[in-house]
Amino acid sequence: MKKQYKFGIGIGIIVLSMGFLAWLGYGESKTYYHTIAELETLKGSAAAHRMRIGGTVQPGSIHRVTGRTDFVLLGEGKSLSVSYTGSDPLPDSFVDNSQALIEGNLGRDGRFVAEHVQAKCASKYEAAPGEVARPEKTKS
């Protein structure tokens, strides 16, 4: 009976530990999506959460400094100053007027500190003005 009791306690500790670690991981991985205009309305702990924001990169605003890249994101008539401090290189499609999705935290000074930047270039997939989009050829 003592072996079963010790075994049960050991299993209980393992299950509780795994549950606690899963709960911690879930809490840290939550990311809230907000628009640039919504940032002004965030108060208290809502402003401290990890968040994801999308917008257009303002032309001429990309400045590379050692260890970070600063730029301005535009959306809904508002602008947001961003500092990218992540370790991954920025995508090749991250240029002026490109659509970007940033992930990170809002700093106390109002500047957004991004840890991840995704960029897309919609013009890459659209027909040029005055041209007709041609379907891709498929191999038979």
Side-chain angles (χ1 to χ4, degrees):
M1 180 88 165
K2 278 191 168 187
K3 279 187 177 182
Q4 291 176 344
Y5 181 69
K6 289 180 182 178
F7 185 73
I9 289 175
I11 293 294
I13 290 172
I14 291 171
V15 168
L16 285 174
S17 298
M18 296 293 285
F20 180 71
L21 290 174
W23 178 73
L24 278 179
Y26 172 74
E28 290 181 8
S29 68
K30 278 195 278 187
T31 304
Y32 298 91
Y33 182 84
H34 293 288
T35 63
I36 295 172
E38 288 176 345
L39 291 178
E40 296 173 351
T41 64
L42 296 178
K43 303 280 189 240
S45 66
H49 285 251
R50 183 173 181 75
M51 57 186 88
R52 191 176 277 176
I53 300 170
T56 304
V57 178
Q58 180 178 349
S61 70
I62 301 172
H63 300 287
R64 287 170 170 71
V65 183
T66 305
R68 76 172 200 261
T69 301
D70 296 331
F71 59 96
V72 176
L73 208 59
L74 303 173
E76 300 175 343
K78 304 283 183 178
S79 64
L80 176 66
S81 296
V82 180
S83 288
Y84 171 65
T85 59
S87 59
D88 295 333
L90 288 168
D92 292 337
S93 57
F94 183 76
V95 294
D96 290 347
N97 288 318
S98 66
Q99 294 292 313
L101 185 65
I102 57 175
E103 188 175 319
N105 295 306
L106 190 60
R108 293 180 188 199
D109 60 352
R111 178 177 286 275
F112 192 88
V113 180
E115 297 165 1
H116 299 287
V117 174
Q118 295 175 337
K120 68 176 188 172
C121 179
S123 63
K124 190 177 195 177
Y125 306 106
E126 296 174 353
E131 290 185 7
V132 177
R134 293 179 285 182
E136 288 188 30
K137 294 180 183 178
T138 57
K139 294 181 180 179
S140 302

